Amino acid sequence: MPNIRKSSVYRAGIAAALLSSALVGGLLATGPLSAIVPAQAEAVRVDAPQQPGFADVVEKVSPAVVSVRVKSAIHDTADDGTGFPGMDQLPDDNPMKRFFFEFGQGQQGKRGMEQRKSQREQNRPDRIRPTAQGSGFFISEDGYLVTNNHVVEDGSAYTVVLNDGTELDAKLIGKDKRTDLAVLKVDDKRKFTYVNFGDDNQVRVGQWVVAVGNPFGLGGTVTAGIVSARGRDIGAGPYDDFLQIDAAVNRGNSGGPAFNLNGEVVGINTAIFSPSGGSVGIAFAIPATTAKNVVDQLIKTGTVSRGWIGVQIQPVSKEIAESLGLSEEKGALVAEPQADGPAAKAGVAAGDVITAVNGDKVADPRDLAKKIAAISAGKDAELTVWRKGEAKSINVAIKPYPQDDQQANAAPQQEEQAKPSALDDYGLTVMPSDDGKGVVVTDIDRQGDAADKGITTGDIIVSVNNKPVKTGAEIETAIADASKTGRKAVLLQVQTNDQSRFVALPINQG
């Protein structure tokens, strides 16, 4: 039985194998189920169309971008003989100094220290130490390069590191704090790869930009993004007109270029908005047209000359426009012309709205500052001003922009007098000033219209609708006159801490 069973199983196995072979052979021959037969798997590959990138631009412009290393002179505080550096800087009557000399070193030590101090002052061994780093880019084959003023302003020695790692010394040609630009020069026999400034006026929001620079000292680094906005005012100065980009810009990128896809510099990276200290996608670049004008002057003269007319200006709000009879909220309102300044001498007065310069319309105070700065000193400019309901032309002789310490225009401190008068409709209580120029706000209702416009106690109301006022009664008269002519608001000239501004108050119907 066992033999029979074994033989039967053997024959059954052979039959099954033959049947399986026949079936498989038949299937392979006929093909309906051939797809399920295991085969060697291949790696996934997608033949997508070639997408445009930035590699070609980066390859061309990278050799023109450099890292800028800045060194500053550090006062040497070498050992003065006491074992404590800087002890010789203490006053002679300092108890600590007396202790070391009288109880530690004695007269010999004191004489030795005085001798060493004299030698150091004759030939002070100040040391040069690295203090800053940033980015820059060549704008000429003979070695002129652009960076930020804040990168180099405290430096005494400068080194630029080329894309291939070569280090070269550079000298400072000029710098401009107001636009945060500086020019360095590398003297070398080689011809440098350089880039050109583009026309940022043709840049549109949403266009690609490529930033190349030296973030965190890492060396040549490339990031890309788009232009997020134009004309940004970040409070850096009177000529703010930044491009905002979202390419990653970090510390060390300062002074580096932002390129368009043609390899032209459309902006110079100068600042970021960052609560964390790193890139959050909000960076600001100096427009190329602004930079080119400043850089050209720095190369030629080492300084920047700007036009100046000497006016304190403010925007024209909707309420101010209505109070003055202007049809649109454009121009720059003169809060106060500087005494003996070009505008004052030409007849520009507080309350005038400058609406055009040489026929070119003024959009706002920043636009006026840019237009005047672009005019060379010594030339005349025709200002179109809106005064007392009509436009008139005034010719002003443009002067060079003075130093900061020459711009002070302090007015005498105004003090309060007795006999206050109330302007209940506006929540104000005022009294005449001591010098008879205006009235002082002595009390204010926080729920009133004046408080809503930012008027506070201590402010001085100088004029109403460009008419000087000395009492509360004169203010009421000026308001009544404006109401009779159909005006919906009155314009108050207000001084706060010697700074003048205009405030439009609505005329109450009660």
Side-chain angles (χ1 to χ4, degrees), residues 177-180 232-240 242 270-271:
K177 186 174 183 179
R178 296 186 182 280
T179 54
D180 196 19
R232 286 298 196 215
D233 182 355
I234 62 174
Y239 310 112
D240 281 14
F242 292 102
T270 189

Side-chain angles (χ1 to χ4, degrees), residues 66-69 71 138 158-170 186-188 190 192:
V66 301
S67 299
V68 179
R69 296 177 181 172
K71 298 180 180 180
F138 285 111
Y158 312 95
T159 301
V160 298
V161 184
L162 307 187
N163 189 49
D164 61 5
T166 303
E167 297 186 10
L168 299 170
D169 291 335
V186 176
D187 291 322
D188 196 82
R190 76 183 70 191
F192 296 97

